[in-house]
Amino acid sequence: MISQTPVMHYLDYYKAWFNALHNANKLTDMKDVHIKGSTFMAILTELWDADLLDIKIVERYAVEIVNATRKKENTYYN
């Protein structure tokens, strides 16, 4: 019998990053933000490589992830 493992939609990974970002209360929480952001970007890259996503969509998400993560980190350094 084949296992029926639930498959996450790629936007579920975005939601995981978004939630981690907004729940980060200290600098050490940013590790989880980076892990989830990197995972999401890897999935987007694979979808783009397979011609399942347009590069413009991937670029928009990449810019959002980098900018929002840096902005959050800056709140801890300043």
Side-chain angles (χ1 to χ4, degrees):
M1 181 172 188
I2 298 175
S3 174
Q4 294 292 329
T5 305
V7 177
M8 290 179 64
H9 189 272
Y10 77 95
L11 290 178
D12 292 334
Y13 291 93
Y14 172 80
K15 185 178 178 183
W17 166 80
F18 185 84
N19 288 336
L21 181 71
H22 288 283
N23 293 332
N25 294 322
K26 53 188 181 258
L27 185 59
T28 54
D29 294 338
M30 291 305 292
K31 179 179 178 182
D32 191 42
V33 174
H34 284 283
I35 290 169
K36 289 186 165 97
S38 295
T39 301
F40 179 60
M41 286 308 304
I43 291 166
L44 288 180
T45 302
E46 290 295 322
L47 291 171
W48 173 67
D49 284 344
D51 292 326
L52 297 173
L53 275 181
D54 186 81
I55 189 64
K56 291 180 183 181
I57 293 170
V58 176
E59 288 173 346
R60 284 186 209 131
Y61 279 119
V63 168
E64 179 182 358
I65 287 172
V66 168
N67 289 341
T69 301
R70 284 184 183 165
K71 183 177 177 182
K72 184 74 167 197
E73 284 178 334
N74 285 338
T75 63
Y76 298 116
Y77 290 119
N78 294 328

